[in-house]
Amino acid sequence: MATGASGAIPFYRGRFAPSPSGPLHDGSLVAAMASYLDARAHGGKWLLRIEDIDTPRVVDGADHYIMQQLQTLGMHWDEPPVWQSERLSLYQAAFEQLKAGGHVYGCACTRRMLTGGPYPGTCRNGLGEGVQPRAWRLKVPPGRRSFIDRWQGPQSQDVATEVGDFILRRADGLWAYQFVVVVDDGLQEITDVVRGVDLLDSTARQQTLAELLGQVPPRVMHVPLIRDESGRKLSKQNHAPELDLSSPVRTLQRAWQALGFEPFPAADIDEFWRKAVPHWAARHGLGGAR
Ligand SMILES: [Zn+2]
């Protein structure tokens, strides 16, 4: 079906997927805001997924804290949130599907044996007698992958030579981020991923996985990151302070300006979003769709 005269696509599903390792800060709000605006400007759905698969980094209660932060800023999700920790059987099923297709293999390499460059494929042709796999890797098909990023422009990467066969299940038994993201985006029928540019170089890997799982990879847009005075990405690891919710409009305006927009007067959060959505639509050629 062609896009309508308003520029709205008939089917849009976006998501924000924070990891509950601490409260949202100004940096994570920029990514959340961009994905929220894009969903609203398309007249689509905005979903919330809690990426709590990396259990050692999960902070108790951070998930509900993040949800409260989003609500305070007027960012409401359209379907019940999902927690990755409750979806382990879905990841296992997707893994079995790849395994049955001959797309995964066990790897017995220790961290010490790997130099940090692309994985050289040491275990690709099987392990020696009695050798137990530590991790499981994807057998990456050869070839260069090209795609258009809606913010960053044309991109291309040869996953097989630049990254190598990457890990789906880690030596500690946890599913890898790259794998669960793709399984979830597929099952939740996500059409559009909008996130920070630090994840741009994950995209080709995720598209490779999506296709092997029989999915159509979502469109992508990678937005700029906020950096601190020393040029580092604002992150929980760098002890970025949590969002200041004493003045929600001011906090929203700061993220808005980080996305390259001019500030505008807004008396409250409702007015902020009412005015911000058409700005976003105009900037991204969505014809003023609401
Ligand atoms: Zn290996």
Side-chain angles (χ1 to χ4, degrees):
M1 188 173 150
T3 55
S6 68
I9 61 171
F11 182 66
Y12 179 109
R13 289 169 67 82
R15 84 310 195 268
F16 177 54
S19 60
S21 52
L24 298 181
H25 50 74
D26 281 340
S28 34
L29 177 59
V30 170
M33 174 178 281
S35 77
Y36 185 76
L37 284 169
D38 202 48
R40 291 292 171 259
H42 280 91
K45 298 253 194 254
W46 191 65
L47 279 60
L48 179 64
R49 179 197 306 152
I50 305 295
E51 298 203 332
D52 59 347
I53 197 82
D54 195 352
T55 44
R57 291 178 56 228
V58 169
V59 173
D60 226 26
D63 50 355
H64 290 282
Y65 196 86
I66 288 170
M67 290 159 79
Q68 218 167 53
Q69 289 178 303
L70 292 171
Q71 305 261 27
T72 304
L73 294 170
M75 301 167 76
H76 305 288
W77 44 93
D78 298 309
E79 290 179 10
V82 300
W83 276 258
Q84 288 188 326
S85 59
E86 294 173 354
R87 297 165 66 81
L88 300 181
S89 61
L90 299 172
Y91 307 138
Q92 186 68 44
F95 180 77
E96 296 301 335
Q97 183 190 332
L98 289 174
K99 204 172 171 193
H103 301 299
V104 300
Y105 63 89
C107 168
C109 300
T110 61
R111 199 181 291 264
R112 229 158 13 99
M113 294 162 69
L114 302 171
T115 54
Y119 178 70
T122 318
C123 305
R124 213 179 215 248
N125 298 315
L127 302 176
E129 185 114 10
V131 178
Q132 290 302 312
R134 294 163 44 81
W136 292 85
R137 292 182 182 271
L138 185 77
K139 203 177 273 185
V140 175
R144 180 160 283 277
R145 176 169 292 279
S146 299
F147 61 93
I148 306 288
D149 185 279
R150 290 174 54 215
W151 192 293
Q152 308 290 337
Q155 307 291 321
S156 109
Q157 188 181 48
D158 186 325
V159 179
T161 60
E162 293 174 40
V163 181
D165 294 341
F166 55 91
I167 287 186
L168 303 184
R169 185 169 218 161
R170 300 167 9 179
D172 59 10
L174 296 178
W175 297 111
Y177 161 77
Q178 305 290 355
F179 175 61
V180 293
V181 165
V182 172
V183 174
D184 285 335
D185 283 343
L187 291 173
Q188 296 189 287
E189 300 184 290
I190 300 300
T191 61
D192 286 79
V193 170
V194 179
R195 59 188 177 187
V197 73
D198 53 330
L199 290 167
L200 179 60
D201 87 330
S202 289
T203 306
R205 264 173 285 175
Q206 293 176 3
Q207 290 186 347
T208 300
L209 257 176
E211 285 177 6
L212 291 174
L213 284 166
Q215 305 168 4
V216 178
R219 296 194 303 172
V220 290
M221 174 188 277
H222 289 86
V223 301
L225 301 175
I226 300 191
R227 302 193 179 274
D228 64 15
E229 295 84 36
S230 51
R232 293 178 311 179
K233 172 197 170 192
L234 213 57
S235 71
K236 289 163 197 160
Q237 288 76 22
N238 295 342
H239 311 292
E242 71 173 88
L243 291 176
D244 174 8
L245 296 181
S246 65
S247 171
V249 172
R250 202 171 55 208
T251 295
L252 289 171
Q253 293 278 12
R254 221 171 22 247
W256 177 248
Q257 286 178 268
L259 287 167
F261 291 99
E262 293 295 321
F264 55 81
D268 54 30
I269 52 173
D270 290 338
E271 189 182 353
F272 173 85
W273 290 113
R274 208 165 48 241
K275 289 181 169 174
V277 171
H279 275 294
W280 178 273
R283 150 103 59 104
H284 294 289
L286 307 176
R290 294 294 299 273

